[in-house]
Amino acid sequence: MCGIIGISDHPEAAKIAYLGLYALQHRGEEAAGIATFDGKDIHLIKDRGLVFDVFKEEELSSLVGRVAVAHTRYSTTGSSSKKNCQPFLVTHRSRGVAVAHNGNLTNTEELYRKLEEEGSIFQTSMDSEVIVHLLAKAPNGDYKKWFTNVLSQLKGAYSVIFMVQDMLVGARDPQGFRPLVLGRLGEGYILASESCALDLTRAEFVREIEPGEVVLIKGGKLESFFLPGSPSGKRSQCIFENIYFARPDSNIFNDNIYHVRKRLGARLAVESPVPGADLVMPIPDSGVYAALGYAQQTGLPYEIGMVRNHYIGRTFIQPTQFLRDFRVRVKLNPIADVIRGKNVILVEDSIVRGTTSRSRVREVRKAGARSIHLRITCPPIVHPCFYGIDFPSEEELIAYGKTVKEVADFIEVDSLSYLSLEGMLSVMKDGKAFCDACFTGKYPVDVPANKSKYLLEGGVC
Ligand code: SF4
């Protein structure tokens, strides 16, 4: 998780970055930051909070320059302090470098140890800081060699944007876990986690950055090269971006997320119909498009039986269980007139710990549903993610070691069905191009040596 943006060669780079961050707010609500370069100095504002809270008009005007890099951050327990906010800024051989990173490295500890032995002093607990230190250590040379040297040492998931003085550098790891798109913005360019940020800034979508590709952008010119071994032809794009995380108005991984989710819902309807059901309703907002696909496939009425209070942040990305529970209760209000006496098919994207789903189901039951049939647009999540999505340890995942019936009993539904792995992959444009390790345990890149420490401290971005 985390959203990143880079702007090159635009007179109002900071303002464009600011607007783009709004489009990427769903990728992280913990902190936001923008750094710009004015031809001489780097300017930086970053803090904890939503984009709206962090930047005020006056401050934004102080971010002068034609180049900007920006970040909106997700964090887990223990890593949400201000010093961990991005972009990170370093001065290297009298050049200012700012970095914004999305994803999680899997060899952080190894690199950390090596760098510490070589004298590096770390300020934060972020794996992104490791990248900065590697940059500082890289031998002098041209930029292509410089970034090849640094990025080749990283393992795991990273979509990353660097601002090196007036040059913008974007890169995606060789497996392409996290998205990164390129757009044209007047004479310049924009890089962003998702294409919805391009729409909001009126940029023209050019293409996605390819797995293992690095782009150097300066003075309206773009140079591209691939890291050694790339393109390998083997992608491991995070399928959870398609299921839940990315915005439905984004085009990433060569597909449109709205349509992907509708296809997931339609396939689920074929695999898991509910005889005697009266209506299909989503758990807002994440289940909305899949429920539409399910309803259209079955011909059942599609009803919005719960209204979301949009003034409360997303629950999934709040760090503590207490906040998660509180926000579930406060944010969704069932419409009893729609639900009362009905056999309801509830469509949701996924179940992680199960407690959020259970709270929602209880609310629907209280509103008078005769029966509740929960349909999930992915298989049971039974393994943690080491590539940047905040799934907890196996023991905390409700589906781990349980039958579907046991999970249904925990969530208090009359029936529960998950979409099959084959069904989920079959509706993707290229099912072989995705990571599905949280369902299968088949990790495409070696997981961290010290798994439990990683899960305890949490993925940071
Ligand atoms: S393990 Fe799951 S959440 Fe993590 S990158 Fe793979 S598909 Fe995405």
Side-chain angles (χ1 to χ4, degrees), residues 177-178 237-240 384-389 391 435-439 443:
F177 282 102
R178 302 281 146 227
Q237 298 162 156
C238 171
I239 206 160
F240 215 68
C385 174
F386 297 95
Y387 312 126
I389 297 284
F391 291 152
C435 169
D436 53 27
C438 44
F439 311 114
Y443 291 99

Side-chain angles (χ1 to χ4, degrees), residues 110-137:
E110 205 178 302
L111 291 171
Y112 220 86
R113 256 202 317 271
K114 177 175 160 272
L115 286 162
E116 271 194 330
E117 273 163 24
E118 291 169 7
S120 296
I121 297 167
F122 287 88
Q123 308 289 320
T124 75
S125 55
M126 305 278 290
D127 56 354
S128 315
E129 197 189 351
V130 167
I131 304 175
V132 173
H133 281 269
L134 288 174
L135 267 178
K137 298 246 169 217

Side-chain angles (χ1 to χ4, degrees), residues 21 99 143 259 301 320 344:
L21 284 182
V99 184
Y143 283 118
H259 284 121
T320 67
V344 172

Side-chain angles (χ1 to χ4, degrees), residues 64-198:
V64 286
R66 294 178 63 85
V67 190
V69 62
H71 189 266
T72 179
R73 175 161 188 263
Y74 166 83
S75 82
T76 54
T77 309
S79 58
S80 58
S81 73
K82 187 176 171 182
K83 67 180 184 200
N84 285 344
C85 302
Q86 294 195 38
F88 276 130
L89 194 57
V90 284
T91 300
H92 164 63
R93 297 191 175 115
S94 66
R95 276 179 302 218
V97 180
V99 184
H101 167 217
N102 171 211
N104 268 126
L105 305 182
T106 53
N107 63 336
T108 308
E109 217 184 324
E110 205 178 302
L111 291 171
Y112 220 86
R113 256 202 317 271
K114 177 175 160 272
L115 286 162
E116 271 194 330
E117 273 163 24
E118 291 169 7
S120 296
I121 297 167
F122 287 88
Q123 308 289 320
T124 75
S125 55
M126 305 278 290
D127 56 354
S128 315
E129 197 189 351
V130 167
I131 304 175
V132 173
H133 281 269
L134 288 174
L135 267 178
K137 298 246 169 217
N140 256 332
D142 65 20
Y143 283 118
K144 200 169 154 184
K145 281 193 192 144
W146 200 31
F147 282 98
T148 301
N149 178 306
V150 170
L151 296 171
S152 298
Q153 295 181 63
L154 310 181
K155 288 190 187 139
Y158 59 85
S159 280
V160 65
I161 302 176
F162 302 90
M163 183 180 73
V164 187
Q165 312 275 74
D166 57 351
M167 184 170 70
L168 202 66
V169 181
R172 205 168 151 208
D173 67 68
Q175 287 73 31
F177 282 102
R178 302 281 146 227
L180 188 63
V181 302
L182 173 73
R184 192 84 205 184
L185 193 65
E187 299 298 300
Y189 285 95
I190 175 170
L191 291 163
S193 295
E194 294 182 34
S195 69
C196 62
L198 273 50

Side-chain angles (χ1 to χ4, degrees), residues 400-439:
Y400 179 72
K402 288 196 183 63
T403 63
V404 173
K405 171 77 172 66
E406 285 168 335
V407 178
D409 289 346
F410 178 83
I411 292 173
E412 301 172 6
V413 286
D414 297 272
S415 78
L416 168 67
S417 291
Y418 292 90
L419 185 60
S420 68
L421 183 68
E422 301 70 37
M424 175 183 74
L425 295 175
S426 74
V427 306
M428 302 298 153
K429 273 202 175 146
D430 177 5
K432 291 198 183 80
F434 287 91
C435 169
D436 53 27
C438 44
F439 311 114

